Amino acid sequence: MSPNKERYVQLNRARRHFLGLAAETGAKVAAVGVMAATTILPASIAQAMGKPWWKKEGGDGDPMCFLRGTSIMTPTGETCVEDLQIGDLVETVRGESMAVKWIGLDLYKRSGPSWNDSVVPIRIARHAIDQRTPHRDLYVSPGHALLIDGVLIRAKDLVNGISIAPALPADGEMIEYFHIVLDTHEVILAEGAAAETFLVAANNHEGFTNFVEFAHLYPDQHPAMTPFAPIVSIDSGREQLKALLPADVRRILQVRQPAHEMYRRIAARAEQMVA
């Protein structure tokens, strides 16, 4: 091979090697960029860095929490949920007091022009459920369930746009949710309404901002809790199927649609209240 041809081959090899390294480096940089774009910073770190923080969508579904400022019944009276501490007692609808095992925190900070519907609180107006319940406006996350007529139903399934509707906090920039974990899944009184405590299942506590605290306090595996009562939903397949049946057929078959029945009853009450 002539000296010139050999030099040409060497330069080509060097060029291919350089391009290969460049491509590999570019791929690594791109991968890091994707990770940076999808990494969720804990709220405390994000706030300290002055960066907007947005809670991850999906996962275990809608958050199930009380908005900051919600009054929870304790043996000594009502206490704001954010003031409760581990070991404090709360009243349950069973008539028993139980100790708080942990308080989960979910913090959302708006990072765009509008909020995602899945995190906007649902306001359950005073006396929306009945003549006494709740005794003040109650704000919960869309996925938080209330105990009505012996079953648990999510707040978002009761939205009627009048007495129960999405409502943002006053400042509109931050949403701070708290949830109470007891030894078992229970129902407590929040603003006088029967509302669920956190239903632990398959490490779903890891969705909270401060989940590391839970893991530190309780390092052992935790079995999934048994729901306090049956959980019903308007968008469940069974409820939808029942809704397709004519009313007279439902009466003959005595088919009960608890979610739809509750929605209709509460919506009718709302219309009477504004009439």
Side-chain angles (χ1 to χ4, degrees):
M1 183 182 297
S2 66
N4 286 340
K5 189 172 183 179
E6 184 176 358
R7 175 177 172 78
Y8 175 78
V9 171
Q10 290 175 346
L11 286 173
N12 256 352
R13 286 175 180 170
R15 181 173 176 271
R16 287 197 301 269
H17 181 66
F18 172 77
L19 291 176
L21 287 176
E24 183 180 353
T25 302
K28 289 181 179 179
V29 170
V32 171
V34 170
M35 289 176 64
T38 57
T39 296
I40 304 168
L41 295 175
S44 57
I45 297 176
Q47 286 181 302
M49 295 172 66
K51 295 181 179 180
W53 180 75
W54 180 256
K55 186 82 163 57
K56 181 180 179 182
E57 299 291 333
D60 294 316
D62 300 319
M64 303 178 294
C65 314
F66 300 106
L67 191 67
R68 169 181 280 275
T70 301
S71 295
I72 305 298
M73 181 59 69
T74 74
T76 58
E78 292 185 322
T79 300
C80 285
V81 64
E82 66 269 22
D83 294 331
L84 289 172
Q85 302 291 326
I86 294 174
D88 287 350
L89 297 177
V90 294
E91 291 291 310
T92 71
V93 296
R94 298 180 193 271
E96 303 174 359
S97 298
M98 295 185 67
V100 173
K101 186 173 183 177
W102 183 64
I103 302 288
L105 169 65
D106 250 336
L107 180 63
Y108 297 82
K109 187 173 182 181
R110 192 174 66 181
S111 60
S114 61
W115 286 97
N116 188 295
D117 291 342
S118 66
V119 300
V120 175
I122 302 296
R123 179 181 71 90
I124 302 168
R126 179 175 178 267
H127 297 170
I129 299 174
D130 59 38
Q131 294 180 348
R132 297 181 297 175
T133 313
H135 55 232
R136 280 188 296 271
D137 288 357
L138 170 63
Y139 292 82
V140 297
S141 59
H144 199 119
L146 304 179
L147 182 71
I148 304 176
D149 294 346
V151 297
L152 289 164
I153 183 169
R154 297 172 301 181
K156 69 177 185 178
D157 286 332
L158 296 173
V159 170
N160 54 48
I162 304 174
S163 62
I164 301 180
L168 285 170
D171 59 14
E173 295 298 323
M174 187 81 72
I175 296 176
E176 195 169 5
Y177 285 127
F178 296 81
H179 214 333
I180 299 169
V181 177
L182 304 179
D183 280 330
T184 52
H185 188 228
E186 298 293 334
V187 171
I188 58 178
L189 296 175
E191 307 294 5
E196 68 173 337
T197 58
F198 188 65
L199 178 60
V200 175
N203 295 324
N204 58 346
H205 67 277
E206 293 180 359
F208 289 102
T209 304
N210 61 334
F211 79 93
V212 173
E213 179 187 37
F214 185 91
H216 175 72
L217 291 171
Y218 309 104
D220 297 331
Q221 292 292 325
H222 298 278
M225 292 180 177
T226 300
F228 177 87
I231 300 171
V232 299
S233 171
I234 283 180
D235 60 12
S236 69
R238 181 174 295 181
E239 284 281 314
Q240 289 177 343
L241 181 61
K242 292 176 182 177
L244 294 175
L245 295 174
D248 54 346
V249 174
R250 290 200 301 269
R251 283 195 297 271
I252 294 172
L253 297 178
Q254 295 183 335
V255 176
R256 185 169 181 245
Q257 298 173 270
H260 285 82
E261 290 169 6
M262 277 183 276
Y263 172 82
R264 286 192 289 265
R265 187 180 74 225
I266 293 174
R269 175 174 174 78
E271 291 175 0
Q272 292 174 358
M273 291 172 67
V274 298

